[in-house]
Structure formats: C-alpha cells, structure tokens
Amino acid sequence: MKITFPDKNVREFPEGTTSMEIAKSISEGLARNVLAAKVNGEVRDLNRPITSDSNLELLTWDSAEGKSTMWHSSAHLMAEALESFYPGIKFWVGPPVDNGFYYDVDLGGQAISSEDFKKIEDKMLELARQNNPYVRKEMSKAEAVKYFTEKNDEYKLDLLNNLEDGSITFYTQGNFTDLCRGPHIPSTGTIKAVKLTTLAGAYWKGDEKNKQLTRIYGITFPKQKELDEYLHMLEEAKKRDHRKLGKELEIFMFDDEVGPGLPLWLPNGGVIIEQLENLAKRTEQEAGYFRVRTPHLAKESMYITTGHLPYYAESMFPPMEMDGEKYYLKPMNCPHHHKIFGNMNPSYRDLPIRLAEYGTCYRYEQSGELFGLMRVRCLQMNDAHIYCTEDQFASEFRAVNEMYLKYFKIFGIEKYVMRFSTHSKEKLGKKYVDNVDLWLKTEDMVRRVLIESNIPYIEVADEAAFYGPKIDVQVWSAIGREFTLATNQVDFAVPARFGLTYRDSDNEMKTPICIHRAPLGTHERFIGFLIEHYAGNFPLWLSPKQVSILPISDKFNDFAKSVSQLLNNYDIRALVDERGEKIGRKIRDAEVKKVPFMLVVGEKEQAENKVSVRKHGEGDLGAMSPEEFATMVKNEINKQLHK
Ligand SMILES: [Zn+2]
Ligand SMILES: [Zn+2]
C-alpha cells in the first residue's frame, strides 16, 4: 500500500503495517516521541494496522492533536488512580481540554479536596512508570451492557444507550477499563509529569435538575521541565492579568449601569487606542487603503441579503423597531463596506480597492462567556476589505501577510502561527460554497504565499468559513501564552450574493474576490493581550504617559511646566507632578505607574536649564537640556516604530 506523508512524500509498506511500525522505519527517535496517528484525517491509535493506500501524519507533542491524545489518555490514568482511593467511584466523561483534561466523577458521597491532589498525582506517576499499554477492544453492545450492569454503573449505561452496536470499544490500561472510542497513546510511560489543577461541581449532562458530579481538572507533560515552565507561566500570567493591570494602570473599566461586556476606556486607554489607530492608519495608507466610516446599525433586509439572518441571529443584539422597520446593531463591518464598493461602480483599472475602517461591532455573548477585554459585547475592529481580481489575489494576500509580519516586529511578537483552514470535499454544497475549482485554486494560492513568505503555518481541513478559506493568526505573549488575535479570510461567495461587480477589460461584468483582514484584531482583545505581553510596561511610543516631570519642591513647578510645554510641542506626552509630596514618593509613584521617563528638576537643573533623566527599569541617565532629551525620545520612538 502507498502511504503519503504531509510533505507529499510517498512510500510503500506491506498492507496491515501499523503507524508505529512506520514511525520506527523512519527513526527510533520519532518512534519514541510519536503519540498518535492521523490516517486520512482521522486520529487513531498507533498500533492499529493500516490496510489500504492512506495519507498519514504522525502526531507528536508538538501538535495539538498529539497533546489532546495524551491528555485524554491522562484522564484514564487519573481515573485508575482515583479508583484506588475511592472505591465505588463512578465515571461520566473525561475529555481533553485546551490545557489538559478533566473527568466528571460521582464519588458516591466520599469527600475530595485539593489537599488530596498530591497523593493522586503520586499514584498517577507510579502507574505511569509501569508503562502499561492502552489496549483497545471492540465489544458487542450486549456484552458492554452486561459489563456495566454488573458494575451497577448507570452513567456508562446511559452513554451506551446512544451508541450503536458495532461501534463500541473499550480501552484498558493496568487495572482500569473504560468505555471509550479513543484514540489513546500507546502506553502510560510517556506521561512523565502530572499536576491536578482544579476541582469544580458539574451537573450531570450540564442540566441543573440532575445530580451534581465532581469535575477534576489536571494537566500532564512528557517532561518535568515542561510542567515547571507551565506552572511558572501561570504564575506570571496571574501577575500580568489584564483585568488587574488594566485597573491599576487606569486603562479601562466596566460599569453595571452601562452593562456587562461593554468596556469604558479611561484616558490612558484612550491614548493607547489612538496610538494603535495612528499606526494602523499610517501603515494602511502606505499600502494603498482608503479609509471609510460607516454607521453602527443597518436594516434587517441587509442582514437577510448577507445571510446573517436567521443563521447568525443568536450572536446579534436583538433588533430595534423604528418607523415600521427593524434595525440591527452591526455584528461585522463587511456588508457596509460591500455597499460602498458597490457604489463605486469600478472597472478593472480601479482594482484592487481596499476599504479600511476601525469599525465598532456589537455581538451578543452570553454573560457567562464574558471575560475582561477578551470577550466583550462591543468591539472596535482593525477591519478592511480588499476587492480584487483573481489575478491580483496572490499579491494582495502576500501584502496582507507582510503587514502582519511588520506588526509582529513592532510589538515584539516572536512566536506566531497561521492556522490555515480549508474546505472538505464531502461537505461542498452543505457547509461550503459548492465550487470545487475555486476552492482548490484559492487554497493553492494561499498555501503558496504562506510557503514563499516563510510563515509558519498549520493546515486544518474542514474548518474554513462557508465562503472561503480562513486563516486564524495565533500569537504567543512574552510569557508563552497563546492568543488568537486576528483572522484573515478569503471570500469568493458573498460578493456574488451582494451583486458586486467590476467591468473587466473585455467589457464583461465580473465578480471580485474579497479578502477580509484585521491584523490588529479588535482594540479590546489586542490591548488585553498587550497588557499581558508587556506586563503593563508599554513601549515608549505606546505609553499613555511618556514622561513624568518631578519638581523637587513647588518652587520649581513653573520651570517644570515650561519643560512640559516644550515636550508637548515635540508631541511628547509629558505631565508635571505638582503634588506637595517628597521627591522620593513622586519617583516611586511614577515607577508604579510604569512611566518610561522621569525628569527630576530642582535648583541646579533650573539654573543650568537642564533636566535629570531617569529611565524606568534602567535608572539614571544624567542631566541634559530639555531639547536634547526631546530629541532622544523622538529618536527612540522612531526606532520602535520602524523595526
Ligand atoms: Zn479514552
Ligand atoms: Zn469582513
């Protein structure tokens, strides 16, 4: 049989070879590290034989699916450990989650607290060291029902109810057997570090009329070092929590009467927003974008044309009735921009047309889902739509990617991945626009640009948008936490629904392709990310206050104000601390507020027309004239913005 690897390399193997044997034939190192196999898009156990020509991806810890296979297997390991401490314990479901896994259990009246975590972790490690294989066994429904009836396990019997005969599998490792469709890692020995993290109550099947089960969360790693780093990252993330720092640094607030999920930006937040918008405007102007402005609402009929209604109605604010019409707050800016493009009546010579706007959108998120600036109901988006011909698509798409890379440099984002979602052939006409040629052609163009621009990316089948391939941009903050900040979508369907056309060189009316892009995401999520990324120490260009001028006593307030005036003329954000506090106190306060520069002025400075400069985090830079200082600041800002 022919096995095709992700790099399109093809090798022949005898029918019935397992993925593990294939891994071994590549290298012993790979065989040690591989956790699961993706065979024709399905994640499976490594020791299951492959019986026909297949695409094969060997999943290691570096892949999300490798991680979730290990974490789900860890849930079984935790269950085995729990059984040894809590006789009669019953298990509901134990899935992997973003960071680790959980198991919902019925302890049958026995008590558990986080003080028990240590002994459970130790037991898990002891069982892991036994390196027991995870053994898969197919079972008939009757056998399975008999097994759990004897165990008196109403939970697994309930799960079995919804399973069809012929599709039922059990997995056993050591002394623990569970009803599970898998997949699992080959054996427990891969699990080298264990941490149980949280206990929570969880109603059976999420229904509060049902019994409350205990949900135990944990996470495991293939190396102790990785667990140590993870715990350190969590500690740092707590210190850098954007909700905590956002309050301390007076960046944003929420108010009950304004409403949940609707942030109010304080003056410091206002400056940050303005700086980000200035950066975006300059960058987009250089890249040939036009700026537009559109209202925050539109009539129902437009959202019927776009297809948002009725399918997206749950994510929109309820309508307002006015003059016998229904109006909706806009959940996205695209339709408004499409209207502007339509009005331009362009010919092929006018394309590409790039329309940009920091547009404010409103989305209904359930109150339980709201989280600081990360999940809000009102968002200001770094939005733009690029309308182009098929011939122009590749270069436009490349330019968008270059813009992302430029921003990453400016913000010091070193780790990023583009998650490239493609269609699925089987779902054309259902989940996806039914035009296979256009899908393949566009996906191929996107893939080529990603490869040529040397951008790290992963390709995921069957996660595209309805109307075209999608790219989610994942970035990591300075402490290694992952954020999805921005998406970038190709749209070859909606322009047609909207009747958008341009007159081509042959005088025919044609439909353009549209690229939706938002490299800086929304102000809300991006600033939330930046607060953690910088730990509140914003780079000079972005700092709400750049310079704090600290007179030693009120005698020097006038001189301080003249310095501040001069700096303001250079467009530098400077403020005088005129309080009657001691200089030591003023310095400490400016440090706490993370102001990049402090200028101390007293007798000597005033006499010589100089300022004594202290840099946040670096200390004394000595005395210089206010003009020299201003030039230094301007140079530094310039450097930060032109990396
Ligand atoms: Zn399982
Ligand atoms: Zn859009």
Side-chain angles (χ1 to χ4, degrees), residues 58-77:
L58 294 164
L59 304 170
T60 61
W61 181 249
D62 295 331
S63 77
E65 285 152 323
K67 280 193 178 76
S68 39
T69 306
M70 184 162 116
W71 283 336
H72 170 63
S73 303
S74 305
H76 283 235
L77 186 69

Side-chain angles (χ1 to χ4, degrees), residues 391-410:
D391 290 344
Q392 293 165 335
F393 173 77
S395 70
E396 285 306 305
F397 187 71
R398 179 172 297 120
V400 167
N401 277 319
E402 275 160 17
M403 195 179 281
Y404 276 93
L405 298 182
K406 180 188 156 146
Y407 286 140
F408 290 163
K409 268 197 193 140
I410 289 176

